[in-house]
Amino acid sequence: MTNSRRRGLLMASSALLGGALMLTACSGGDADASSGGNDTSQAKADEAAAKKSSEAQITITPKDGSNNASINNSAAVTVRKGTLTAVTMTSQDGKTVAGRLSADGKSWKPSVQLERSTTYKLAAEAKDSQGRIAHENASFTTVSPANSFIGTFTPDNGATVGVGMPVSINFDKAITNKAAVQKGVTVTSSSGQEVACHWFNANRMDCRPQEYWKEGSTVTLKLALDGVQGASGVYGVQQKTVTFHIGRNQVSYVDAKTKQMKITQDGKVVKTIPISAGSPDNKTYEGQMVISEKFKETRMNGATVGFTDDDGKGEYDIKDVPHAMRLTTSGTFIHGNYWGAPSVFGNVNTSHGCVGLQDKKGANDPSTPAAWFYNHSLIGDVVVVQNTGDKTVSPDNGLNGWNMDWAQWKAGSAL
C-alpha cells in the first residue's frame, strides 16, 4: 500500500469517527452540549425519579430507635407539603393503637395512653398536592417502670367528699427533686382558698387550704409530671386533671369524758349519739381525724395492730364489724358495736382505741345510731376527738394534716 493510499484511508476513518461523535453529541440536546458532554444515563434516571417523588415530608416523633419515650406526649406524626392518608401504630404484641387524625390531615396522635416499657411501631403515608405518595416508618420504646415514677392520689375524679379531705399523693419512687415535682402539681379551688402542699417524706405530699374547704366548692388537681425528673434517672409519666366536689360542712365532735358525739352541719348540732371510746389502758388518739375509708362490714383482728394474747393471737378477732369508718392508718376506726351491752354507750369507755357506736349484727338495721352516722357521713368528713388523755394523732397517720398549724404546714413545702 502506498503512502498516499494509507493517508486516504485514515482520512476516511477520521471522517466516519467524527460523524459518529457528532451524532452522539447531538443526541444529548443543547443542555448536554453546554455541560461539556459529561451527563450520564444515571443522572437522567435520578432527574426523572425526582420529578415523580412526592413533596410530602412526614415527621415521626420520637425518632426511630428512641428509648425512654413518654407514654403521654412522645408519639406523633406530622406532615409538611401534604396531608396524611394513613397512620398505623402497633405495640410489640401486634395490637393496634387507636389514634386521632386532625381535621386538616396534617397531624396524628394516639388517643390512648401508652404502656410503659413497650416497643411501638409507626407507619405513615401521605400524599402531596399532585397525589404523589410518601411513606415513613419508625420504632421506639417507652420509659420503663424502673426509670419512671407515678403518684397515686386521693380523692378520685368526680368524687363528692367532706370538707376535711386533703389531696394526698403517694409516689412509688422516693422523690429527691421535690421542688421540680411540686411545681408539676397544682391544686386550686373554686372558692379561691389558698392551697399549700406539705411533704411528709420522700414519697408522700399532701395539699390543703388553711381552713377546711368551703362547702359546695370544686377542687381541681392538675398533674403535669410527664418528663419531670423526680430523682436521678427517674422521670414522671403522668399528665392528668382531676376534679372533686366538696359536700356539706359536717364536723363531728367526740368527747371521751362525756361519752357523747355531737354531729354538726354548717356549725349547728344536728344529732347527738352516745359513744364508747378507748379504755384507760388503750386510750383513743386526740385531734382532728378525717374519714378515709368506709366499710359496711369489715374484719378487725387485734393481732394486726399489736393487741395479742400470750399465744400470739389477737386479743379480739371480729369478722363482721358493722358500719366501720377509718380514721387513722394505724387502725383507729369509728364503728358500730353489736357485742357490747346497750348500757355501755354513753357511760363507759371500753374499746382498744376505736370509737364505738351502738349497732346490730349484720349492719342491716338503719335505725341504729351507728347506721345513722354511717349513712350521713362522707369520706373526707372530720371527726374531732377530745378529752381522751392520749396524745394528738400524728399528722401523717391517715389524712390528718389538720393537726399541724398553717405555718408548720407551709414549712413543709419544697417551693
Side-chain angles (χ1 to χ4, degrees), residues 80 151 258 297 381:
R80 293 179 62 249
T258 64
E297 288 184 286
D381 280 350

Side-chain angles (χ1 to χ4, degrees), residues 30-39:
D30 293 339
D32 288 339
S34 65
S35 65
N38 293 326
D39 197 9

Side-chain angles (χ1 to χ4, degrees), residues 29 36 48 60 67 74 84 99 110 136 177 191 202 267 293 299 303 313 319 349 385:
I60 296 177
N67 291 309
S74 60
L84 294 169
E136 194 68 50
N177 195 358
S191 66
E293 290 183 292
R299 179 182 180 182
K313 295 182 179 180
K319 298 178 174 61
N349 291 323
V385 182

Side-chain angles (χ1 to χ4, degrees), residues 165-169 185 187 195-198 205-209 213 221 409:
M165 189 70 190
V167 171
S168 184
I169 306 173
V185 178
V187 181
V195 180
C197 297
H198 180 96
M205 182 179 74
D206 285 15
C207 307
R208 67 167 179 88
W213 301 106
L221 162 67
W409 183 262

Side-chain angles (χ1 to χ4, degrees), residues 46 83 103 129 133 195 227 243 274 277 314 327 378 380 387 394 399 403:
D46 290 344
T83 55
S129 59
I133 302 299
V195 180
T243 60
L327 299 179
L378 295 172
N387 299 321
S394 176
L399 304 176
N403 295 287

Side-chain angles (χ1 to χ4, degrees), residues 28 31-32 35-44 47:
D32 288 339
S35 65
N38 293 326
D39 197 9
T40 66
S41 59
Q42 182 60 52
K44 292 179 178 294
E47 182 181 357

